[in-house]
């Protein structure tokens, strides 16, 4: 897709969102079904993802780990965002890779040490790009990718989170 095509595709959306800011608010959702053992099946819209325990928490490694899925969502979002930004800027990014890695201390997850936080303590996102873009253009590309990547910004901003339950 070329820069002009992307602008034409997004122009009516941007106009509508400026005129009616409420129309820009979209609620995404996901749901899962608790399965046998310590698993939860999540319908992705394309396939069924079955998540279970990571081997560091007692799993056998055959099921998806929700931590891995979080990093995968970050990589997917950052990759699509980078491609969109590069297209909008008219930068030639011929290919490359996006990777993320994160550090977890399972002492927190398994309540071995109540002082150890649960969750990622650090996440590193890396782009290896095949491009002839200048250093200045690369800095702009990465700055705008970071700014507009939904998953990255969600992780960085700690949005309001509500947890509810219902027994039936």
């Amino acid at each position: 897709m070329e820069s002009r095509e992307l602008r034409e595709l997004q122009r009516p959306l941007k106009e509508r969102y400026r005129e009616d800011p409420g129309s820009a608010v979209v609620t995404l959702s996901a749901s899962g079904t608790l399965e046998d053992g310590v698993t939860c099946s999540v319908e992705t819209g394309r396939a069924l993802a079955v998540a279970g325990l990571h081997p560091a928490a007692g799993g056998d490694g055959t099921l998806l780990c929700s931590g891995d899925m979080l990093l995968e969502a970050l990589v997917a979002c950052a990759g699509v965002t980078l491609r969109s930004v590069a297209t909008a800027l008219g930068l030639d990014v011929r290919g490359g890779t996006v990777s993320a890695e994160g550090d977890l201390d399972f002492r927190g997850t398994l309540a071995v040490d109540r002082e150890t936080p649960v969750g990622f303590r650090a996440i590193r996102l890396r782009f290896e790009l095949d491009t002839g873009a200048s250093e200045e253009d690369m800095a702009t590309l990465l700055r705008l990718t970071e700014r507009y990547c939904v998953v990255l910004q969600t992780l960085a901003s700690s949005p309001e989170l509500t947890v509810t339950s219902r027994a039936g």
Side-chain angles (χ1 to χ4, degrees):
M1 179 176 291
E2 293 183 25
S3 177
R4 177 187 51 75
E5 292 173 291
L6 182 60
R7 278 196 291 278
E8 287 176 14
L9 181 69
Q10 292 179 341
R11 181 177 294 115
L13 296 170
K14 289 180 177 185
E15 288 174 7
R16 185 173 73 215
Y17 299 159
R18 281 186 194 98
E19 293 170 11
D20 179 13
S23 69
V25 178
V26 175
T27 301
L28 303 179
S29 64
S31 62
T33 303
L34 301 177
E35 302 290 345
D36 293 335
V38 185
T39 65
C40 180
S41 297
V42 179
E43 180 62 48
T44 67
R46 304 280 185 263
L48 186 66
V50 181
L53 292 172
H54 186 277
D60 63 9
T62 62
L63 300 174
L64 297 170
C65 163
S66 54
D68 289 331
M69 294 169 73
L70 177 72
L71 295 178
E72 291 162 356
L74 174 59
V75 165
C77 186
V80 169
T81 303
L82 180 128
R83 279 293 198 185
S84 295
V85 170
T87 299
L89 295 175
L91 298 178
D92 181 26
V93 177
R94 294 176 290 276
T97 60
V98 182
S99 59
E101 60 183 14
D103 303 324
L104 292 163
D105 186 336
F106 278 87
R107 292 177 303 157
T109 302
L110 295 177
V112 170
D113 178 0
R114 295 206 180 269
E115 300 301 313
T116 301
V118 176
F120 285 99
R121 65 165 71 162
I123 295 175
R124 293 168 296 284
L125 181 63
R126 180 173 178 80
F127 298 94
E128 302 254 348
L129 304 177
D130 179 10
T131 181
S134 69
E135 283 188 36
E136 183 180 330
D137 285 342
M138 282 295 294
T140 299
L141 176 62
L142 293 179
R143 179 177 49 82
L144 294 176
T145 297
E146 183 175 343
R147 179 176 179 182
Y148 295 115
C149 176
V150 171
V151 175
L152 189 151
Q153 287 301 316
T154 300
L155 290 170
S157 68
S158 299
E160 178 184 332
L161 181 63
T162 304
V163 178
T164 61
S165 68
R166 186 180 84 214

